[in-house]
Amino acid sequence: MTRAVLLAALFAGLGLALRVANPPLPTDEAFRDVLRFYGAEVSNTRETSSP
């Protein structure tokens, strides 16, 4: 059990480090068109907008 917790903490730290080092790219216009087609709200914010 201790190994599992340590491994989970390691992966969480690695994921956080990758997230900070490599931020997501902004959506392109074709993807925004798909979101508009399905009636989703399109926003300029990348992380906080709902799909």
Side-chain angles (χ1 to χ4, degrees), residues 16-36:
L16 183 61
L18 286 174
R19 187 67 159 167
V20 169
N22 188 18
L25 299 173
T27 56
D28 60 351
E29 195 58 38
F31 183 68
R32 288 176 186 232
D33 289 340
V34 171
L35 292 179
R36 282 188 199 102

Side-chain angles (χ1 to χ4, degrees), residues 13 17 43:
S43 174

Side-chain angles (χ1 to χ4, degrees), residues 19 24 41-51:
R19 187 67 159 167
E41 181 181 328
V42 178
S43 174
N44 286 334
T45 58
R46 294 176 280 185
E47 292 297 314
T48 58
S49 62
S50 60

